[in-house]
Amino acid sequence: MKRKIMALIVSAAMAASMLAGCGTVGGDTSKKEEEEQSSQSTESIEGKKEEEKLDDSAQEELENSDGKVYKIGICQQLEHQALDAATEGFKAALVEKFGEGNVEFDYQNAQGEQPNCATIATKFVNDNVDLIMANATTALQACAAATAEIPIIGTSVTDFVEAGVVDSNEAPGRNVTGTSDLAPIDQQIELLATLVPDAKKVGILYCSSEANSVFQADQAEKALKVKGISYDRYTVSDSNDIQQVVTNAVAECDAIYIPTDNTIANNMEGVKNVAGPAGIPIICGEENMCAGGGLATLSISYYNIGYNAGIMAYEILTEGKNPGEMPIQYADEVTKKYNAEVAEALNMEMPSDMVEIGKEE
């Protein structure tokens, strides 16, 4: 009897234990469900936030676009770092303003050939693009000759009046406007005089077929006259002349000044190979030329002037601005820069207010 009673007690205890165990499992399950629900709720909130971000981005893009896909032709005179940077800046400004997918670029490189510029310009007119960006003087002249109706933005152009494409830089008066790459030439000559104070004669080296270079050579002459420094012009008709012309210049001059000339810029290695061994310092019109073999320059940012040209294009396309009433824009600032490798080869110590190319911070 006692054994039966003990058996019943043990059975009851085991049952109670099992019930207690079941209660714990049930509690864990309930807790896990609560955690899962909480997690799902958090994910749902995060998902909604992400959707809101996407909605905001889409809304911003819609605000920057009237729903039309704008077609823009880009005629770049030739390929080198300065012009490439201007094109990059131009495109970046318009993509930023319109949003991806709302603007299409037809980029064409003329490979430095004037007939190619004319062919490209004609193509853009036949394609009825909404706007043309002409990068460098010859490209701009060809595009301006091809159409008086389609808006044209020029960039990397020294002087729009000298190029014959506007009535004045303050009031273009035609379907053309844009941004200039002109750095103050009197300051460039002042820099030359500071770095090469004993220079008796300066050679002005440029391509005679580039209107922008002729204009800068004229300005350089005036500045050299003011400084009382003798000078002579050394001109090339194309890249085949460079070695012989530079050889003549280094034999007769104490320093060389090169404006923002596309032909010379694309062949700086050849200039360096002649002027370097002769120990003749070169002051260049822009940074990339200087990096290719010059000693120093007053640098502007070609990316920035391209970007500003893009903003002008946006205002024409979306705000209905008239290019003929938009003044030519110039670089906001210039920086004195030098090529450390060339300075060392010439055994020259550069002034403390100059920045080494590639070391900008």
Side-chain angles (χ1 to χ4, degrees), residues 5-24:
I5 292 173
M6 286 299 295
L8 289 171
I9 292 172
V10 170
S11 298
M14 289 175 66
S17 176
M18 289 176 67
L19 286 171
C22 289
T24 301

Side-chain angles (χ1 to χ4, degrees), residues 158-358:
T158 301
D159 188 88
F160 285 68
V161 174
E162 288 294 321
V165 296
V166 299
D167 298 334
S168 76
N169 291 319
E170 296 74 24
R174 308 183 198 177
N175 62 319
V176 177
T177 187
T179 57
S180 169
D181 63 356
L182 179 65
I185 294 175
D186 58 340
Q187 293 182 36
Q188 292 174 342
I189 298 304
E190 181 66 37
L191 178 62
L192 185 153
T194 299
L195 297 178
V196 196
D198 298 328
K200 299 286 191 298
K201 183 177 180 179
V202 172
I204 306 172
L205 175 66
Y206 64 98
C207 178
S208 57
S209 64
E210 295 190 29
N212 62 307
S213 300
V214 176
F215 171 80
Q216 291 175 86
D218 292 341
Q219 299 302 309
E221 276 192 6
K222 294 176 183 178
L224 286 164
K225 285 179 181 178
V226 170
K227 301 296 293 185
I229 302 173
S230 176
Y231 62 85
D232 202 353
R233 297 192 185 211
Y234 295 84
T235 63
V236 303
S237 57
D238 56 41
S239 59
N240 296 321
D241 299 337
I242 290 176
Q243 183 173 356
Q244 184 58 55
V245 172
V246 177
T247 298
N248 295 340
V250 300
E252 300 170 357
C253 301
D254 304 303
I256 293 175
Y257 170 68
I258 307 176
T260 53
D261 183 283
N262 293 302
T263 301
I264 304 296
N266 213 32
N267 293 275
M268 276 302 295
E269 185 71 20
V271 177
K272 174 185 176 181
N273 291 341
V274 177
I280 301 299
I282 301 172
I283 304 302
C284 297
E286 59 94 12
E287 180 177 342
N288 291 297
M289 294 171 68
C290 187
L295 170 64
T297 185
L298 285 180
S299 174
I300 67 168
S301 169
Y302 274 77
Y303 180 93
N304 286 349
I305 64 170
Y307 184 93
N308 291 340
I311 297 300
M312 296 177 80
Y314 177 79
E315 292 172 347
I316 290 169
L317 293 171
T318 64
E319 299 174 18
K321 285 193 174 182
N322 181 357
E325 297 174 356
M326 300 173 73
I328 305 304
Q329 294 186 16
Y330 296 83
D332 298 330
E333 59 183 23
V334 294
T335 306
K336 295 178 181 179
K337 293 189 177 183
Y338 71 96
N339 184 324
E341 181 183 347
V342 172
E344 183 179 358
L346 294 173
N347 196 28
M348 294 180 65
E349 184 175 345
M350 306 306 288
S352 59
D353 64 341
M354 297 195 70
V355 178
E356 179 182 344
I357 292 174

Side-chain angles (χ1 to χ4, degrees), residues 74-88:
I74 298 176
C75 178
Q76 183 169 313
Q77 188 166 317
L78 74 163
E79 184 178 355
H80 70 69
Q81 288 181 315
L83 301 188
D84 292 346
T87 293
E88 182 183 348

